[in-house]
Amino acid sequence: MELRHLRYFVGVAEDLHFGRAAARLGISQPPLSQQIMALESELGVQLFDRTSRAVTLTDAGTLFLREARATLAQAERAVIVARRAALGELGELAIGFNASAPFVPAVARAIHDFRIAYPEVHMTLSELSEDGLRSALAARSIEIGFLRSLREPELPPGAATRLLMREGLVVVMRPDHPLAARKAIGACDLDGQAMVVYQRGLIGGFTEDLLRLLSAGGAEPIIAQEVREVSTLFGLVAAGIGITIVARSLQALQSAGLVYRDFDAPDANSAMWIVHQQERLSEPARHFLEAVIPSRETRER
């Protein structure tokens, strides 16, 4: 039995006239009659009562009509689903990101716009460390990731990197800190200052690069605490444990107990990178990449 047999049956059942049904289906009447008889033979059931005056459905034909319509509707839906999936309108998209990525306007905007444009794509968002993100890319458990690093990150084979943005750094402290009265703070101003920093090896080498930057500027700060979470970082600064330096986009947190001052030092900036699978990239992933940076060229690693 093929779908065309069901279409022919439904056509005759709706018209209850072989001639009219044949014209509507675009075939001649004799082949239509033959197809219906072949269907009845295969089922071993008479679907129509035929007389010289009328064609009517048998009881079996009436019940079969309901199921035939449902089968055709499901087949049509299957075709639509396949076509929409090929266009990236359906499916799954797994994204990994570091803790500060949601505060970058381009990232937040891309996630929002993608969810509006493709509401039937199931998006899975996972907060991952740098090593966790690399492992997830290698295992193909994510297709796209956001990673903060001053340098282009090293990735597993088959992954690609794009520079999303660079931004300046700010010094964060309590309003009563002696440096809070300044509009900008240089590296030498931080010599001997107690600092709260991200755990080394956690965020794309951010802390290691920051300490090298400070050392080049003549500053040797005191590391009062290393933390893993953004909320902990800001909480300890607000508690007076020390000051910290973060990417400018994190000013969006705007804690009432903190002030932000420009960090004025050569090369004092941070970069946000978007990384993704290079091979067998899904259509939803392609759409997302276009939403984030539609015009940048991918640099393969």
Side-chain angles (χ1 to χ4, degrees):
M1 184 189 305
E2 300 178 12
L3 289 176
R4 61 187 174 87
H5 294 124
L6 298 182
R7 293 191 187 97
Y8 293 159
F9 165 73
V10 171
V12 175
E14 290 177 346
D15 284 313
L16 292 177
H17 191 283
F18 277 84
R20 288 195 297 269
R24 185 156 62 89
L25 292 168
I27 62 174
S28 60
Q29 182 173 337
L32 177 59
S33 298
Q34 292 171 4
Q35 292 292 333
I36 295 299
M37 286 189 290
L39 177 61
E40 290 176 320
S41 177
E42 181 177 351
L43 294 175
V45 172
Q46 184 175 343
L47 300 173
F48 295 100
D49 285 324
R50 305 165 178 84
T51 68
S52 59
R53 295 184 176 181
V55 176
T56 58
L57 283 165
T58 63
D59 290 343
T62 299
L63 294 175
F64 187 67
L65 175 60
R66 181 177 61 191
E67 300 302 324
R69 283 172 169 161
T71 300
L72 291 172
Q74 183 59 41
E76 184 177 351
R77 172 171 170 74
V79 171
I80 293 172
V81 166
R83 288 173 177 168
R84 292 188 66 195
L87 293 172
E89 297 175 356
L90 300 173
E92 305 277 337
L93 177 59
I95 297 176
F97 60 94
N98 74 313
S100 65
F103 297 100
V104 175
V107 177
R109 182 171 57 253
I111 292 174
H112 173 268
D113 291 350
F114 184 85
R115 290 176 64 88
I116 296 298
Y118 302 99
E120 294 185 70
V121 173
H122 181 255
M123 184 185 296
T124 302
L125 302 171
S126 302
E127 184 176 345
L128 299 170
S129 66
E130 180 184 6
D131 289 340
L133 193 145
R134 284 199 189 96
S135 298
L137 278 172
R140 299 194 66 87
S141 58
I142 64 170
E143 287 193 272
I144 294 173
F146 292 98
L147 180 63
R148 186 177 291 283
S149 174
L150 273 67
R151 302 174 306 278
E152 184 172 358
E154 296 181 3
L155 298 173
T161 307
R162 304 186 189 192
L163 176 63
L164 180 59
M165 62 170 292
R166 289 190 182 275
E167 58 180 327
L169 303 178
V170 292
V171 184
V172 188
M173 68 201 81
R174 286 173 54 91
D176 57 2
H177 192 281
L179 294 176
R182 304 189 183 189
K183 291 183 178 180
I185 296 171
C188 61
D189 298 320
L190 301 180
D191 186 43
Q193 292 289 336
M195 290 190 66
V196 183
V197 297
Y198 288 114
Q199 182 177 315
R200 277 168 268 206
L202 185 64
I203 308 208
F206 178 83
T207 297
E208 292 87 338
D209 288 331
L210 176 61
L211 293 178
R212 281 192 289 269
L213 185 65
L214 291 171
S215 179
E220 295 297 332
I222 299 169
I223 305 303
Q225 186 73 40
E226 294 188 19
V227 302
R228 297 181 60 87
E229 306 292 339
V230 174
S231 57
T232 307
L233 185 78
F234 280 79
L236 292 182
V237 173
I241 301 301
I243 64 175
T244 194
I245 298 177
V246 297
R248 188 179 302 279
S249 56
L250 287 177
Q251 289 184 93
L253 291 173
Q254 287 297 325
S255 171
L258 298 174
V259 295
Y260 304 82
R261 299 292 180 259
D262 289 340
F263 183 41
D264 184 12
D267 300 320
N269 61 71
S270 177
M272 180 64 73
W273 305 84
I274 182 167
V275 299
H276 61 86
Q277 299 289 350
Q278 182 63 30
E279 298 179 353
R280 294 183 287 128
L281 197 65
S282 70
E283 286 304 310
R286 294 182 193 279
H287 291 320
F288 187 87
L289 289 175
E290 291 170 0
V292 178
I293 36 179
S295 61
R296 291 189 182 273
E297 292 295 326
T298 300
R299 297 191 300 280
E300 295 185 26
R301 295 196 61 85

